[in-house]
Amino acid sequence: MIKQYIQENESRMLEELFSLIRIPSISSESEHHADMLRCAERWKELLISAGVDSAEVMPSDGNPMVFAEKIVNAQAPTVLIYGHYDVMPVEPLELWKSEPFEPVIRDGHIWARGADDDKGQSFIQAKAFEYLVKNGLLKHNVKFILEGEEEIGSPSLETFCEKHKELLKADIILVSDTSMLSAELPSLTTGLRGLSYWQVEVTGPNRDLHSGHFGGAVMNPINALCKMIAQLTDADGRITVPHFYDDVEEVPAEEREMIAHIPFNEEKYKAAIGIKEVFGEKGYSTLERNSCRPSFDCCGIWGGYTGEGAKTVIPSKAFAKISTRLVPHQNSEKIAKLVAEHLQSIAPVGVTVKVDYLHGGEGYVCPISLPAYKAAEKGFEAAFGQRPLPVRRGGSIPIIATFEKVLGIKTILMGFGLESNAIHSPNENIPLDMIRRGIEAVVNFHLFYDE
């Protein structure tokens, strides 16, 4: 029994997971370059001990890839399991209740960066595989691909997939890097939004200026940037970039009806994140806005003097990081060009604007009629005691659409995250019980997939 196996091996399993978490594999920070290789090598060791036939750390144009496989029958179907070993930065560090890379168990949760996203969730896949192999239950082939650049947009993975199509050949891809509605209301992700992300630089005078001598006579780049950003959405939450909505597919009436029946308490939602009111595109519910509709956000803005006390300057430059979440059929490159051109067109005279497109990716929809989806559905039901709801989620995993484009394979998004797990934030965590039930659900996915 899988429950007994987890109970008997939990101490060992947790220490193995902790050995991954302790490696600060932050892909966006160059000082952690050596940690990326360390984490990849550790994943190789853990997959070998879990029972793969072979595992190797392979070079890419960026951080290394980990590939492993278990071939039980060359004629049998193959499941390709994808995960990522890189994590987000930990700042602001002062908000953490414990060290981000020294995992602790508190209140039935593991607290650490990567506990959920995605070391914890990928580990669920590895331990389910281990159980199946050790008990002679695996009837199909399994491959693993783990990358170290997901948190920076997976810039090297598409080229890697192009070069290694035969190596990655499979019938279905299985990913645990998404979330559920709640522990009491399990769900399977059937859609993801795409993404486009820019950095904007606005330049005014050739140096910082005394605001007394020049204020009122010179365009302030921060003022200009704020006005430009404010123009990108209207009072009804619509994005104002011309042609932005040209390829947006309206949510079908039957899907809107299904979304309307998802249990959702808006008052609890607001209380959980400390806001007085929700805001978004007029004519859509909160659940539709954060899953099926595009969005626009300024993710960061800076410039001028931000130190202690006062310094009266008009800054030479101002900067912002901007992102949009896209829905299926919107092309990230097309949107990138539209937004960059629009920003140039609305820039005030007196400043120059530079727009750098950092990364992006397409949205994805999974048909719920796929046999592998049905197997995942049964796996969740076995572990959680109820059939999971099919829902679209608002996040982005750009590589999922790339897998379909390059490898021609659909992906099942079998995620075990919760909103309270605080991924990308201080005090990231995952409930121990979710790891246990996640392993059970994945084990049952494989068993039902063989039927």
Side-chain angles (χ1 to χ4, degrees), residues 250-265:
E250 285 294 325
V251 183
E254 56 269 26
E255 185 169 357
R256 294 192 74 177
E257 181 69 17
M258 183 192 73
I259 294 171
H261 284 86
I262 293 174
F264 176 71
N265 186 316

Side-chain angles (χ1 to χ4, degrees), residues 16 124 128 149 381 447:
E16 290 173 349
I124 286 171
E149 298 181 333
E381 191 167 5
L447 296 177

Side-chain angles (χ1 to χ4, degrees), residues 142-371:
V142 173
K143 297 178 180 179
F144 289 87
I145 182 70
L146 293 152
E147 67 154 323
E149 298 181 333
E150 194 275 343
E151 299 293 11
I152 55 172
S154 302
S156 305
L157 192 48
E158 182 170 352
T159 300
F160 183 87
C161 290
E162 292 279 7
K163 288 181 179 178
H164 301 285
K165 283 184 181 180
E166 190 62 31
L167 189 70
L168 299 174
K169 189 176 180 180
D171 296 276
I172 198 74
I173 299 171
L174 187 60
V175 175
S176 292
D177 191 22
T178 49
S179 59
M180 303 193 306
L181 291 172
S182 73
E184 296 73 34
L185 191 64
S187 58
L188 275 166
T189 298
T190 58
L192 294 165
R193 291 192 287 187
L195 174 73
S196 289
Y197 197 109
W198 306 261
Q199 180 165 311
V200 182
E201 177 183 319
V202 176
T203 303
N206 59 10
R207 65 185 187 278
D208 289 358
L209 303 177
H210 189 295
S211 65
H213 294 169
F214 293 92
V218 175
M219 175 65 69
N220 184 315
I222 295 179
N223 295 356
L225 179 57
C226 289
K227 289 176 182 177
M228 291 165 62
I229 292 172
Q231 291 180 57
L232 293 176
T233 54
D234 65 18
D236 291 331
R238 292 272 297 184
I239 297 162
T240 59
V241 177
H243 302 293
F244 184 91
Y245 289 93
D246 284 2
D247 299 320
V248 172
E249 180 183 62
E250 285 294 325
V251 183
E254 56 269 26
E255 185 169 357
R256 294 192 74 177
E257 181 69 17
M258 183 192 73
I259 294 171
H261 284 86
I262 293 174
F264 176 71
N265 186 316
E266 196 157 280
E267 293 305 313
K268 287 185 178 179
Y269 178 84
K270 291 187 290 187
I273 56 177
I275 61 171
K276 293 182 179 179
E277 194 52 79
V278 296
F279 174 78
E281 187 180 2
K282 189 176 180 180
Y284 296 91
S285 70
T286 297
L287 289 182
E288 289 171 335
R289 291 168 180 165
N290 67 15
S291 65
C292 305
R293 298 296 296 172
S295 65
F296 169 89
D297 287 288
C298 178
C299 301
I301 186 166
W302 69 99
Y305 180 70
T306 58
E308 185 177 356
K311 183 181 181 183
T312 52
V313 295
I314 296 172
S316 172
K317 292 180 179 290
F319 303 85
K321 291 185 185 289
I322 295 172
S323 76
T324 59
R325 298 288 175 166
L326 310 174
V327 295
H329 306 305
Q330 283 187 294
N331 178 270
S332 59
E333 297 283 348
K334 178 180 177 180
I335 294 298
K337 187 172 184 291
L338 288 175
V339 171
E341 290 176 347
H342 186 61
L343 284 167
Q344 295 287 356
S345 73
I346 63 174
V349 176
V351 297
T352 58
V353 176
K354 178 185 177 186
V355 183
D356 290 321
Y357 181 51
L358 301 186
H359 65 85
E362 316 314 318
Y364 173 76
V365 175
C366 172
I368 63 175
S369 59
L370 289 177

Side-chain angles (χ1 to χ4, degrees), residues 387-413:
R387 188 177 180 181
L389 290 170
V391 297
R392 295 196 195 188
R393 306 299 287 180
S396 304
I397 311 177
I399 191 58
I400 301 302
T402 302
F403 279 145
E404 186 170 13
K405 180 180 73 173
V406 177
L407 302 178
I409 312 172
K410 281 289 187 181
T411 296
I412 304 300
L413 296 158

